[in-house]
Amino acid sequence: NSKVYCFEPFPSTFETLKVNLKHLDGIQLYPFGFSKNEGVIRAPEKNNSPMNTLVKRNWKKNSNQYVDIKIQTIDQFLLATKINKVDYLKIDTEGFELNVLTGAKDALASGVFSFIELEVGMNRINSCHVPFEDIKKELERFDYYIIKIHSQVHEWITKRRILRRCNVVFIHSSIADIK
C-alpha cells in the first residue's frame, strides 16, 4: 500500500528512470527537483550521469549541453498534493541537500518526515557533498537525530585513505521516543 514519489530534474536521467520503473505500480514520477525557491535553473547535463548537479561550483568546464531545470520547494509540493505525512525521504542531490532542506522548513518543523536519508561529505577535501556536520546541525534544529550511517566510500579521487562520503539516516524525535 505504499506510495512512492520520485523526482529527477535532468531530462536524460528522467527518461531512464521512466524506462527502469515502468513495470512497477504505485510509483509517481516528476520531472523537476527541489530547492529553497521555486524557479528554473539553467544547468549542464551529462546524459544519465549520477554526477549531474545543480551546484555551480561542481559544474564541469567546457560543458556543451545545458538544460532548463524546473525546481520548487518540498513545502510547495506537499501543500499542493495535500501530503501531510512522509515515512521516508531520501535526498541525494550531489551537494544541493541544504537547498532542498531549506525549501522544506515547514515540513521539517512540523515533523512531516519520519526518516530522512542524505548523502553527506566526510572531509574538507570533498567539495562535491555537503559536510556531515552542516547536515547534522540543520536537522537537529528540527528534532531529527542520527539512527544509521551506511554506504561509506573512501577518497577515490585523491586516492587518500580517508572517508569521502556516506549516507546518514535521521529519525524524527516523535518516532524515536525522545522527549
Side-chain angles (χ1 to χ4, degrees):
N1 295 333
S2 297
K3 290 182 182 177
V4 177
Y5 301 87
C6 296
F7 306 89
E8 175 52 55
F10 286 91
S12 65
T13 309
F14 182 77
E15 291 305 315
T16 300
L17 184 64
K18 279 188 349 188
V19 169
N20 289 342
L21 299 179
K22 70 180 176 187
H23 65 285
L24 298 175
D25 294 329
I27 297 179
Q28 295 182 34
L29 306 177
Y30 295 89
F32 59 83
F34 292 115
S35 186
K36 57 186 171 184
N37 298 307
E38 182 178 6
V40 175
I41 297 175
R42 188 146 184 82
E45 178 183 36
K46 190 172 186 178
N47 284 342
N48 291 319
S49 174
M51 302 300 281
N52 281 331
T53 180
L54 297 178
V55 180
K56 287 183 181 179
R57 75 173 181 276
N58 296 335
W59 290 355
K60 301 286 185 225
K61 291 181 175 144
N62 305 325
S63 181
N64 56 1
Q65 183 178 353
Y66 280 77
V67 293
D68 288 334
I69 302 298
K70 290 184 244 174
I71 55 171
Q72 63 176 269
T73 69
I74 287 179
D75 285 336
Q76 290 168 325
F77 177 78
L78 294 175
L79 189 62
T81 56
K82 296 180 176 32
I83 296 172
N84 57 16
K85 189 67 179 161
V86 175
D87 293 325
Y88 204 90
L89 174 66
K90 170 75 163 82
I91 304 172
D92 184 352
T93 54
E94 300 302 319
F96 211 63
E97 286 78 6
L98 281 177
N99 287 339
V100 173
L101 291 174
T102 299
K105 293 264 192 233
D106 293 341
L108 291 169
S110 61
V112 166
F113 311 109
S114 298
F115 297 91
I116 302 174
E117 180 176 347
L118 305 101
E119 189 175 74
V120 299
M122 296 305 288
N123 69 66
R124 63 182 169 82
I125 297 166
N126 177 356
S127 63
C128 294
H129 297 92
V130 177
F132 165 72
E133 296 87 358
D134 295 351
I135 295 290
K136 181 178 181 286
K137 181 179 176 182
E138 179 66 9
L139 287 176
E140 283 183 346
R141 288 186 332 113
F142 297 101
D143 293 326
Y144 286 88
Y145 298 93
I146 296 171
I147 190 171
K148 183 176 183 177
I149 296 175
H150 67 96
S151 302
Q152 299 174 16
V153 175
H154 288 87
E155 271 298 342
W156 54 273
I157 292 175
T158 63
K159 307 281 193 247
R160 293 189 176 122
R161 290 174 276 195
I162 57 176
L163 193 58
R164 177 175 179 73
R165 65 171 171 80
C166 67
N167 283 20
V168 181
V169 181
F170 292 82
I171 186 172
H172 190 260
S173 61
S174 64
I175 305 296
D177 233 4
I178 297 173
K179 302 195 191 242

